[in-house]
Amino acid sequence: MSDQYPPPPPPPSEPTASTPPPPPAPGLGETAAQPPAPAYAAAPPVMPGQVGAGPIGEVRSTGVAILLYIVTFGIYGIYYWYKVHEEMKRHSGQGIGGVVALVLALFIGIVMPYLTSAEVGGLYKRRGQKEPVSGATGLWYFPGIFILVGPIIWFVKTNGALNDYWKSLGAQG
């Protein structure tokens, strides 16, 4: 009767020729294999030698942005500051980024025109070009608000410079 049945398989603790043994545990000075990075991981940081190696930002119509600012009673302005600072940070690897811009816009918004203009100018400067706007451009916003058109002049200059930068890299708009 024993001829009719195959022999029982060896116990699991003994490796067989058909199954390879498990890899040894890491020893002293060795490290275990790292798990793969998740698909949602952030892009690698831009190295100092690279200029604007990140994604290109969006071109925003100045007139439409001003209209949205008015229609939404200023809420679009907060969104605008978040988006442009996030795009500049992703593109250049430098700057305050969208979240910090959002917090600053909500709590001490008066600094945003100065920061935004300075960062837009910094994009040009890192490429070795003349800065069309700088932190001083923010003076059109405040104290320029007292001549009523000051913030509009600031926005036209700063948004125009940012749009020109993105277009120089191939953005459509």
Side-chain angles (χ1 to χ4, degrees):
M1 220 185 253
S2 64
D3 292 336
Q4 295 176 352
Y5 299 105
S13 62
E14 299 175 20
T16 62
S18 63
T19 59
L28 200 54
E30 296 178 355
T31 59
Q34 296 293 324
Y40 55 83
V46 177
M47 301 310 288
Q50 296 174 308
V51 177
I56 299 171
E58 178 183 339
V59 174
R60 290 172 178 81
S61 166
T62 302
V64 170
I66 291 172
L67 180 65
L68 285 171
Y69 183 85
I70 293 167
V71 169
T72 63
F73 302 104
I75 295 172
Y76 179 76
I78 295 168
Y79 169 79
Y80 174 86
W81 279 321
Y82 170 82
K83 286 299 286 182
V84 298
H85 282 276
E86 187 64 22
E87 289 172 356
M88 290 188 288
K89 174 92 174 191
R90 288 178 187 250
H91 175 69
S92 69
Q94 297 180 0
I96 63 173
V99 175
V100 174
L102 178 64
V103 171
L104 290 173
L106 290 173
F107 294 104
I108 48 175
I110 195 66
V111 303
M112 291 310 299
Y114 303 96
L115 286 173
T116 304
S117 295
E119 284 199 23
V120 171
L123 292 173
Y124 284 88
K125 188 175 183 179
R126 284 188 285 280
R127 283 180 40 185
Q129 298 176 326
K130 183 181 180 305
E131 302 171 57
V133 292
S134 67
T137 308
L139 292 171
W140 278 108
Y141 194 90
F142 185 83
I145 197 164
F146 295 118
I147 61 170
L148 301 180
V149 296
I152 294 171
I153 294 170
W154 166 81
F155 187 76
V156 169
K157 291 172 80 61
T158 302
N159 192 60
L162 185 59
N163 284 343
D164 291 344
Y165 180 83
W166 295 137
K167 286 178 184 176
S168 75
L169 296 175
Q172 301 296 315

